[in-house]
Amino acid sequence: MSEHITISVDESLSDLIPGFLERKRADVQSILDALPRHDYERVRRAAHRLKGEGGAYGFDAMTELARVIERALAAHDDTAIKRHAEALLNYVDRVKVVFHPAEE
């Protein structure tokens, strides 16, 4: 298995992160499921959620990969959408969260 990607997150979010990551994994999977059906609206909505929510929780790589998916969607590049969605799924599967004390 690939190495973990360690992300440091404020401990005040510790109860929210496991569910958040499950939902983000589902969002990425919905992109991969929608792509063969050319359901680009579903891809767009999921990528937009991933982009916005990733950064809000400190997962900047998630935000950047979702931004790249949005650009590939605008270019109608299904191959790139799939490649970047798979990279995002790999990221979500490998991420390990370490909680740090809240800053005052």
Side-chain angles (χ1 to χ4, degrees):
M1 177 164 196
S2 299
E3 241 179 81
H4 288 290
I5 301 167
T6 304
I7 303 294
S8 181
V9 176
D10 189 304
E11 69 185 357
S12 67
L13 300 174
S14 64
D15 290 344
L16 302 175
I17 294 299
F20 168 77
L21 289 173
E22 285 179 31
R23 288 188 304 279
K24 297 309 101 189
R25 187 177 204 299
D27 282 343
V28 177
Q29 191 59 56
S30 75
I31 290 171
L32 292 169
D33 292 345
L35 196 55
R37 295 189 314 271
H38 305 288
D39 185 350
Y40 297 117
E41 180 58 24
R42 187 172 177 187
V43 172
R44 185 198 64 75
R45 285 191 316 264
H48 185 74
R49 270 193 311 275
L50 285 155
K51 183 178 77 174
E53 295 173 8
Y57 282 90
F59 296 88
D60 296 334
M62 181 183 295
T63 295
E64 185 53 35
L65 282 166
R67 185 174 287 119
V68 173
I69 291 169
E70 286 183 328
R71 284 195 296 261
L73 181 61
H76 306 288
D77 188 343
D78 288 7
T79 302
I81 294 167
K82 183 177 185 216
R83 183 176 65 248
H84 295 300
E86 288 171 343
L88 187 47
L89 190 59
N90 179 272
Y91 170 83
V92 172
D93 287 344
R94 292 175 47 213
V95 75
K96 178 183 178 197
V97 178
V98 175
F99 296 101
H100 62 78
E103 295 180 14
E104 295 184 31

mmCIF file of all heavy atoms in Angstrom, residues 27-53:
data_model
loop_
_atom_site.group_PDB
_atom_site.id
_atom_site.type_symbol
_atom_site.label_atom_id
_atom_site.label_comp_id
_atom_site.label_asym_id
_atom_site.label_seq_id
_atom_site.Cartn_x
_atom_site.Cartn_y
_atom_site.Cartn_z
ATOM 1 N N ASP A 27 -18.273 11.650 -2.649
ATOM 2 C CA ASP A 27 -18.323 12.667 -3.711
ATOM 3 C C ASP A 27 -17.410 12.289 -4.874
ATOM 4 O O ASP A 27 -17.793 12.407 -6.035
ATOM 5 C CB ASP A 27 -17.909 14.037 -3.167
ATOM 6 C CG ASP A 27 -18.994 14.737 -2.368
ATOM 7 O OD1 ASP A 27 -20.178 14.347 -2.484
ATOM 8 O OD2 ASP A 27 -18.650 15.679 -1.631
ATOM 9 N N VAL A 28 -16.204 11.835 -4.554
ATOM 10 C CA VAL A 28 -15.276 11.437 -5.617
ATOM 11 C C VAL A 28 -15.831 10.232 -6.366
ATOM 12 O O VAL A 28 -15.794 10.187 -7.599
ATOM 13 C CB VAL A 28 -13.875 11.120 -5.053
ATOM 14 C CG1 VAL A 28 -12.955 10.637 -6.171
ATOM 15 C CG2 VAL A 28 -13.276 12.329 -4.352
ATOM 16 N N GLN A 29 -16.377 9.283 -5.638
ATOM 17 C CA GLN A 29 -16.948 8.103 -6.286
ATOM 18 C C GLN A 29 -18.116 8.501 -7.185
ATOM 19 O O GLN A 29 -18.293 7.935 -8.261
ATOM 20 C CB GLN A 29 -17.383 7.071 -5.251
ATOM 21 C CG GLN A 29 -17.736 5.728 -5.853
ATOM 22 C CD GLN A 29 -16.572 5.107 -6.613
ATOM 23 O OE1 GLN A 29 -15.498 4.915 -6.071
ATOM 24 N NE2 GLN A 29 -16.790 4.793 -7.882
ATOM 25 N N SER A 30 -18.890 9.503 -6.763
ATOM 26 C CA SER A 30 -20.008 9.949 -7.603
ATOM 27 C C SER A 30 -19.504 10.556 -8.912
ATOM 28 O O SER A 30 -20.149 10.409 -9.952
ATOM 29 C CB SER A 30 -20.912 10.930 -6.853
ATOM 30 O OG SER A 30 -20.327 12.195 -6.744
ATOM 31 N N ILE A 31 -18.341 11.204 -8.876
ATOM 32 C CA ILE A 31 -17.737 11.726 -10.111
ATOM 33 C C ILE A 31 -17.390 10.553 -11.031
ATOM 34 O O ILE A 31 -17.721 10.564 -12.217
ATOM 35 C CB ILE A 31 -16.487 12.566 -9.799
ATOM 36 C CG1 ILE A 31 -16.884 13.877 -9.128
ATOM 37 C CG2 ILE A 31 -15.680 12.835 -11.080
ATOM 38 C CD1 ILE A 31 -15.717 14.686 -8.588
ATOM 39 N N LEU A 32 -16.731 9.561 -10.468
ATOM 40 C CA LEU A 32 -16.324 8.401 -11.271
ATOM 41 C C LEU A 32 -17.532 7.631 -11.794
ATOM 42 O O LEU A 32 -17.491 7.108 -12.911
ATOM 43 C CB LEU A 32 -15.418 7.488 -10.441
ATOM 44 C CG LEU A 32 -14.047 8.098 -10.108
ATOM 45 C CD1 LEU A 32 -13.329 7.245 -9.069
ATOM 46 C CD2 LEU A 32 -13.211 8.261 -11.367
ATOM 47 N N ASP A 33 -18.611 7.576 -11.027
ATOM 48 C CA ASP A 33 -19.830 6.888 -11.466
ATOM 49 C C ASP A 33 -20.581 7.680 -12.535
ATOM 50 O O ASP A 33 -21.182 7.097 -13.443
ATOM 51 C CB ASP A 33 -20.763 6.630 -10.280
ATOM 52 C CG ASP A 33 -20.207 5.623 -9.291
ATOM 53 O OD1 ASP A 33 -19.244 4.897 -9.624
ATOM 54 O OD2 ASP A 33 -20.729 5.570 -8.156
ATOM 55 N N ALA A 34 -20.571 9.010 -12.416
ATOM 56 C CA ALA A 34 -21.324 9.867 -13.337
ATOM 57 C C ALA A 34 -20.624 10.030 -14.685
ATOM 58 O O ALA A 34 -21.287 10.224 -15.708
ATOM 59 C CB ALA A 34 -21.546 11.237 -12.701
ATOM 60 N N LEU A 35 -19.323 9.942 -14.696
ATOM 61 C CA LEU A 35 -18.558 10.216 -15.909
ATOM 62 C C LEU A 35 -18.927 9.316 -17.093
ATOM 63 O O LEU A 35 -19.184 9.833 -18.188
ATOM 64 C CB LEU A 35 -17.060 10.149 -15.598
ATOM 65 C CG LEU A 35 -16.131 10.754 -16.626
ATOM 66 C CD1 LEU A 35 -16.494 12.216 -16.921
ATOM 67 C CD2 LEU A 35 -14.703 10.658 -16.149
ATOM 68 N N PRO A 36 -19.023 8.000 -16.917
ATOM 69 C CA PRO A 36 -19.389 7.162 -18.074
ATOM 70 C C PRO A 36 -20.793 7.464 -18.627
ATOM 71 O O PRO A 36 -21.068 7.218 -19.798
ATOM 72 C CB PRO A 36 -19.334 5.732 -17.536
ATOM 73 C CG PRO A 36 -18.522 5.806 -16.289
ATOM 74 C CD PRO A 36 -18.709 7.187 -15.748
ATOM 75 N N ARG A 37 -21.647 8.023 -17.781
ATOM 76 C CA ARG A 37 -23.013 8.373 -18.214
ATOM 77 C C ARG A 37 -23.076 9.804 -18.764
ATOM 78 O O ARG A 37 -24.157 10.282 -19.124
ATOM 79 C CB ARG A 37 -23.980 8.235 -17.037
ATOM 80 C CG ARG A 37 -24.136 6.825 -16.522
ATOM 81 C CD ARG A 37 -25.274 6.699 -15.497
ATOM 82 N NE ARG A 37 -25.274 7.730 -14.478
ATOM 83 C CZ ARG A 37 -24.611 7.657 -13.309
ATOM 84 N NH1 ARG A 37 -23.899 6.598 -13.017
ATOM 85 N NH2 ARG A 37 -24.696 8.639 -12.436
ATOM 86 N N HIS A 38 -21.927 10.481 -18.759
ATOM 87 C CA HIS A 38 -21.842 11.870 -19.212
ATOM 88 C C HIS A 38 -22.775 12.776 -18.414
ATOM 89 O O HIS A 38 -23.331 13.738 -18.945
ATOM 90 C CB HIS A 38 -22.118 11.992 -20.718
ATOM 91 C CG HIS A 38 -21.232 11.121 -21.529
ATOM 92 N ND1 HIS A 38 -19.888 11.372 -21.706
ATOM 93 C CD2 HIS A 38 -21.484 9.957 -22.193
ATOM 94 C CE1 HIS A 38 -19.364 10.420 -22.453
ATOM 95 N NE2 HIS A 38 -20.296 9.548 -22.751
ATOM 96 N N ASP A 39 -22.914 12.467 -17.133
ATOM 97 C CA ASP A 39 -23.725 13.286 -16.227
ATOM 98 C C ASP A 39 -22.813 14.391 -15.673
ATOM 99 O O ASP A 39 -22.365 14.358 -14.533
ATOM 100 C CB ASP A 39 -24.293 12.408 -15.094
ATOM 101 C CG ASP A 39 -25.245 13.162 -14.190
ATOM 102 O OD1 ASP A 39 -25.336 14.405 -14.307
ATOM 103 O OD2 ASP A 39 -25.883 12.502 -13.347
ATOM 104 N N TYR A 40 -22.548 15.366 -16.523
ATOM 105 C CA TYR A 40 -21.585 16.410 -16.192
ATOM 106 C C TYR A 40 -22.079 17.346 -15.098
ATOM 107 O O TYR A 40 -21.271 17.925 -14.375
ATOM 108 C CB TYR A 40 -21.189 17.183 -17.443
ATOM 109 C CG TYR A 40 -20.505 16.296 -18.446
ATOM 110 C CD1 TYR A 40 -21.055 16.057 -19.692
ATOM 111 C CD2 TYR A 40 -19.307 15.654 -18.127
ATOM 112 C CE1 TYR A 40 -20.434 15.223 -20.608
ATOM 113 C CE2 TYR A 40 -18.673 14.817 -19.035
ATOM 114 C CZ TYR A 40 -19.250 14.611 -20.269
ATOM 115 O OH TYR A 40 -18.627 13.775 -21.162
ATOM 116 N N GLU A 41 -23.371 17.476 -14.957
ATOM 117 C CA GLU A 41 -23.901 18.305 -13.868
ATOM 118 C C GLU A 41 -23.574 17.671 -12.514
ATOM 119 O O GLU A 41 -23.200 18.366 -11.574
ATOM 120 C CB GLU A 41 -25.412 18.508 -14.026
ATOM 121 C CG GLU A 41 -26.030 19.358 -12.937
ATOM 122 C CD GLU A 41 -25.423 20.765 -12.797
ATOM 123 O OE1 GLU A 41 -24.843 21.298 -13.766
ATOM 124 O OE2 GLU A 41 -25.535 21.328 -11.699
ATOM 125 N N ARG A 42 -23.687 16.371 -12.435
ATOM 126 C CA ARG A 42 -23.333 15.673 -11.183
ATOM 127 C C ARG A 42 -21.832 15.799 -10.911
ATOM 128 O O ARG A 42 -21.421 16.021 -9.775
ATOM 129 C CB ARG A 42 -23.738 14.208 -11.279
ATOM 130 C CG ARG A 42 -23.562 13.462 -9.989
ATOM 131 C CD ARG A 42 -24.173 12.081 -10.098
ATOM 132 N NE ARG A 42 -23.949 11.341 -8.876
ATOM 133 C CZ ARG A 42 -24.245 10.073 -8.718
ATOM 134 N NH1 ARG A 42 -24.799 9.393 -9.700
ATOM 135 N NH2 ARG A 42 -24.009 9.472 -7.585
ATOM 136 N N VAL A 43 -21.033 15.673 -11.941
ATOM 137 C CA VAL A 43 -19.579 15.846 -11.804
ATOM 138 C C VAL A 43 -19.287 17.262 -11.319
ATOM 139 O O VAL A 43 -18.501 17.465 -10.387
ATOM 140 C CB VAL A 43 -18.846 15.564 -13.134
ATOM 141 C CG1 VAL A 43 -17.374 15.943 -13.033
ATOM 142 C CG2 VAL A 43 -19.003 14.110 -13.550
ATOM 143 N N ARG A 44 -19.929 18.250 -11.926
ATOM 144 C CA ARG A 44 -19.704 19.653 -11.568
ATOM 145 C C ARG A 44 -20.057 19.917 -10.110
ATOM 146 O O ARG A 44 -19.285 20.539 -9.374
ATOM 147 C CB ARG A 44 -20.526 20.573 -12.478
ATOM 148 C CG ARG A 44 -20.233 22.071 -12.238
ATOM 149 C CD ARG A 44 -21.324 22.968 -12.803
ATOM 150 N NE ARG A 44 -22.608 22.789 -12.151
ATOM 151 C CZ ARG A 44 -22.913 23.251 -10.933
ATOM 152 N NH1 ARG A 44 -22.031 23.882 -10.215
ATOM 153 N NH2 ARG A 44 -24.119 23.048 -10.424
ATOM 154 N N ARG A 45 -21.224 19.433 -9.674
ATOM 155 C CA ARG A 45 -21.653 19.660 -8.278
ATOM 156 C C ARG A 45 -20.697 19.014 -7.285
ATOM 157 O O ARG A 45 -20.325 19.630 -6.277
ATOM 158 C CB ARG A 45 -23.079 19.136 -8.064
ATOM 159 C CG ARG A 45 -24.157 20.019 -8.656
ATOM 160 C CD ARG A 45 -25.556 19.627 -8.197
ATOM 161 N NE ARG A 45 -25.816 18.202 -8.210
ATOM 162 C CZ ARG A 45 -26.406 17.527 -9.193
ATOM 163 N NH1 ARG A 45 -26.805 18.171 -10.276
ATOM 164 N NH2 ARG A 45 -26.612 16.242 -9.109
ATOM 165 N N ALA A 46 -20.299 17.784 -7.560
ATOM 166 C CA ALA A 46 -19.399 17.072 -6.639
ATOM 167 C C ALA A 46 -18.031 17.746 -6.594
ATOM 168 O O ALA A 46 -17.455 17.939 -5.509
ATOM 169 C CB ALA A 46 -19.266 15.611 -7.047
ATOM 170 N N ALA A 47 -17.493 18.133 -7.744
ATOM 171 C CA ALA A 47 -16.186 18.800 -7.777
ATOM 172 C C ALA A 47 -16.248 20.134 -7.039
ATOM 173 O O ALA A 47 -15.320 20.487 -6.301
ATOM 174 C CB ALA A 47 -15.733 18.997 -9.221
ATOM 175 N N HIS A 48 -17.341 20.850 -7.198
ATOM 176 C CA HIS A 48 -17.506 22.139 -6.522
ATOM 177 C C HIS A 48 -17.525 21.952 -4.999
ATOM 178 O O HIS A 48 -16.881 22.714 -4.269
ATOM 179 C CB HIS A 48 -18.783 22.825 -7.005
ATOM 180 C CG HIS A 48 -18.967 24.191 -6.456
ATOM 181 N ND1 HIS A 48 -18.236 25.270 -6.890
ATOM 182 C CD2 HIS A 48 -19.780 24.653 -5.485
ATOM 183 C CE1 HIS A 48 -18.605 26.343 -6.213
ATOM 184 N NE2 HIS A 48 -19.540 25.994 -5.358
ATOM 185 N N ARG A 49 -18.251 20.940 -4.535
ATOM 186 C CA ARG A 49 -18.291 20.641 -3.085
ATOM 187 C C ARG A 49 -16.903 20.294 -2.573
ATOM 188 O O ARG A 49 -16.466 20.774 -1.523
ATOM 189 C CB ARG A 49 -19.238 19.468 -2.801
ATOM 190 C CG ARG A 49 -20.657 19.847 -2.526
ATOM 191 C CD ARG A 49 -21.450 18.679 -1.954
ATOM 192 N NE ARG A 49 -21.325 17.435 -2.679
ATOM 193 C CZ ARG A 49 -22.041 17.090 -3.737
ATOM 194 N NH1 ARG A 49 -22.942 17.917 -4.231
ATOM 195 N NH2 ARG A 49 -21.852 15.923 -4.321
ATOM 196 N N LEU A 50 -16.216 19.433 -3.300
ATOM 197 C CA LEU A 50 -14.871 19.014 -2.897
ATOM 198 C C LEU A 50 -13.923 20.211 -2.833
ATOM 199 O O LEU A 50 -13.132 20.329 -1.895
ATOM 200 C CB LEU A 50 -14.326 17.968 -3.881
ATOM 201 C CG LEU A 50 -14.933 16.580 -3.729
ATOM 202 C CD1 LEU A 50 -14.827 15.808 -5.035
ATOM 203 C CD2 LEU A 50 -14.246 15.831 -2.605
ATOM 204 N N LYS A 51 -14.020 21.077 -3.802
ATOM 205 C CA LYS A 51 -13.146 22.248 -3.843
ATOM 206 C C LYS A 51 -13.403 23.160 -2.646
ATOM 207 O O LYS A 51 -12.474 23.577 -1.966
ATOM 208 C CB LYS A 51 -13.358 23.012 -5.148
ATOM 209 C CG LYS A 51 -12.430 24.207 -5.308
ATOM 210 C CD LYS A 51 -12.642 24.909 -6.633
ATOM 211 C CE LYS A 51 -13.902 25.742 -6.563
ATOM 212 N NZ LYS A 51 -14.112 26.561 -7.755
ATOM 213 N N GLY A 52 -14.653 23.430 -2.378
ATOM 214 C CA GLY A 52 -14.989 24.344 -1.293
ATOM 215 C C GLY A 52 -14.761 23.772 0.091
ATOM 216 O O GLY A 52 -14.198 24.435 0.966
ATOM 217 N N GLU A 53 -15.169 22.549 0.298
ATOM 218 C CA GLU A 53 -15.095 21.957 1.632
ATOM 219 C C GLU A 53 -13.694 21.471 1.974
ATOM 220 O O GLU A 53 -13.325 21.457 3.145
ATOM 221 C CB GLU A 53 -16.111 20.828 1.756
ATOM 222 C CG GLU A 53 -17.539 21.335 1.667
ATOM 223 C CD GLU A 53 -18.561 20.218 1.614
ATOM 224 O OE1 GLU A 53 -18.205 19.043 1.790
ATOM 225 O OE2 GLU A 53 -19.745 20.537 1.387
#
